[in-house]
Amino acid sequence: MIKIQKKQGLKSWQEGLLRVGSIIAALVASGIIIALLGYNPFEVYGAMIKGSLGKPYNIEATIEKCIPLLIMSLGLSIAFKMKFWNIGAEGQFYMGAFGATIVWWYFPTLPSYVLIPLMMLAAIVCGGIVALIPALLKLKLGTNETLVTLMLNYIAIGFITYLANYSPLHEPRTVSQIYRFTDNAMLPEIGVFSSQVKVHIGWIIALVLVVLVFVMMRYSKFGFEISVLGENPDTARYAGMNVAKTLILAVVISGGICGLAGMLQATGPEGRLTYTLSAGLGFTAVITAWLAKLSAPVILVASFLFSVLLQGGSSIGTLTGIPSAVAETIQGIILFFVLAGDFFANYKFVYKRKEKK
């Protein structure tokens, strides 16, 4: 009989080597499949790199994908550390963008230095409120937060779709479009290590959040309480921690950060609230947060690499004529191999013979 048994954790360098090996194996496996489909693997990989990092506007597009992915991954990492499985980044993202839109709708003439911070605050509050719902349901009724947060995603997207078609926010003579933000509500652009590559200031906010989340989780009392609660709620109660307070506050912060990502995306590259605003990045954030072991600095790296993959994948059709499904296949294979590497870093197969009676 074959059983799965947990083994002692690998050393950090061994784990890093295993992850690099997993990625290399994934690229080799992807190359074989691409070749079997009749395409040149080197041409495909070259097109993906060129499409994501080849020119300034490619780099800008990659960074614009990375910003919301990174911020949502950071938000989810806080809840995940507590073993509260917040799969609702999409919904919190959209409601954060909605909160920002409402502030702009009612105060459109405010100067940007007042309006944009108010929009950020509204986004954080709305994202936090959406996350608060499953937290309260879990505490009071013992519901499964995975299902509740997942369902809230579709409610949020449906709500935004309604606004885009039937509410006063709908822009006349357009199909399913909400009014575009005025210039005072748009994030200013700033160079990213170069004057040739300019992206909205969300990239600076994202990097600041990486530092803040890292410091909070590693060095603060609150971060310590989150870790203890995630390891063993009974231990947390025995130590005198207020479990309910810690749970609610951590989940609200998690949702608030995801909401902020929605505001930055709406007031940055999109310029308005749409029901396709996230492009599924909220679900990708679950993957990047988990693969990065919930470590803020590693999440930064993982989010950027995934953004390169996403942007490069969307470009290969234009550059080579290869179907975008090939890029999606590569993404799936890489994810499979990295998850497999993570599994073998923590578990092993043990063969045990059945004892004869």
Side-chain angles (χ1 to χ4, degrees):
M1 188 189 327
I2 298 177
K3 290 186 176 182
I4 298 174
Q5 183 176 319
K6 190 170 179 64
K7 62 182 180 182
Q8 291 182 348
L10 299 177
K11 295 179 180 179
S12 57
W13 68 269
Q14 292 175 320
E15 191 170 331
L17 193 62
L18 180 61
R19 287 182 179 275
V20 172
S22 299
I23 294 173
I24 293 173
L27 292 175
V28 171
S30 300
I32 293 172
I33 292 176
I34 292 169
L36 292 174
L37 292 173
Y39 302 108
N40 184 332
F42 298 102
E43 182 182 351
V44 173
Y45 290 146
M48 292 183 72
I49 297 298
K50 185 178 179 181
S52 58
L53 302 172
K55 295 181 179 179
Y57 65 84
N58 297 126
I59 299 173
E60 289 171 1
T62 300
I63 294 174
E64 286 176 354
K65 279 187 171 63
C66 182
I67 291 168
L69 179 58
L70 169 59
I71 293 175
M72 284 191 282
S73 300
L74 291 170
L76 292 181
S77 70
I78 297 171
F80 287 175
K81 190 70 175 179
M82 197 171 46
K83 290 188 171 55
F84 183 95
W85 307 118
N86 178 13
I87 314 298
E90 284 271 303
Q92 293 146 24
F93 174 95
Y94 277 104
M95 295 311 294
F98 164 74
T101 302
I102 291 299
V103 169
W104 165 76
W105 181 257
Y106 283 103
F107 306 101
T109 59
L110 287 175
S112 59
Y113 60 84
V114 176
L115 181 59
I116 289 176
L118 284 177
M119 292 171 73
M120 288 183 177
L121 179 61
I124 293 170
V125 170
C126 288
I129 290 173
V130 175
L132 177 63
I133 296 171
L136 291 176
L137 289 175
K138 181 180 179 69
L139 284 173
K140 301 298 182 182
L141 303 176
T143 57
N144 186 307
E145 72 275 10
T146 303
L147 295 176
V148 177
T149 53
L150 183 61
M151 290 187 291
L152 283 172
N153 290 330
Y154 300 104
I155 294 173
I157 295 172
F159 176 63
I160 301 302
T161 304
Y162 168 80
L163 294 177
N165 287 280
Y166 306 109
S167 76
L169 294 174
H170 169 69
E171 185 177 2
R173 296 181 296 278
T174 65
V175 179
S176 302
Q177 291 284 353
I178 289 172
Y179 280 98
R180 191 170 187 83
F181 291 126
T182 49
D183 289 342
N184 60 325
M186 296 291 291
L187 294 175
E189 292 186 346
I190 189 172
V192 184
F193 311 121
S194 168
S195 59
Q196 291 183 323
V197 179
K198 287 190 175 182
V199 182
H200 63 85
I201 61 170
W203 71 270
I204 297 178
I205 296 172
L207 292 179
V208 170
L209 280 173
V210 170
V211 176
L212 291 177
V213 171
F214 175 75
V215 171
M216 182 186 77
M217 298 303 295
R218 180 66 67 89
Y219 299 107
S220 73
K221 178 185 176 184
F222 181 60
F224 174 73
E225 290 177 346
I226 289 174
S227 299
V228 173
L229 183 56
E231 289 297 325
N232 193 322
D234 292 331
T235 301
R237 292 189 186 93
Y238 183 78
M241 298 178 187
N242 189 328
V243 172
K245 179 182 176 182
T246 302
L247 176 78
I248 289 175
L249 186 55
V251 172
V252 168
I253 292 173
S254 173
I257 292 175
C258 293
L260 176 62
M263 177 269 173
L264 296 177
Q265 186 72 359
T267 57
E270 293 293 334
R272 71 174 88 208
L273 172 61
T274 71
Y275 54 83
T276 58
L277 189 64
S278 80
L281 289 177
F283 295 110
T284 307
V286 175
I287 298 170
T288 51
W290 189 252
L291 292 181
K293 295 284 189 179
L294 312 182
S295 168
V298 184
I299 286 175
L300 171 60
V301 176
S303 298
F304 180 74
L305 293 178
F306 255 82
S307 300
V308 168
L309 193 61
L310 292 170
Q311 177 60 28
S314 65
S315 302
I316 62 171
T318 305
L319 295 172
T320 64
I322 296 172
S324 59
V326 174
E328 294 174 1
T329 301
I330 296 171
Q331 294 169 22
I333 292 172
I334 290 175
L335 177 61
F336 175 80
F337 272 80
V338 172
L339 289 174
D342 184 69
F343 173 84
F344 286 110
N346 296 283
Y347 299 93
K348 60 182 178 180
F349 290 107
V350 178
Y351 176 76
K352 291 185 178 181
R353 293 184 177 181
K354 291 184 177 180
E355 295 182 359
K356 294 182 180 180
K357 295 183 179 179

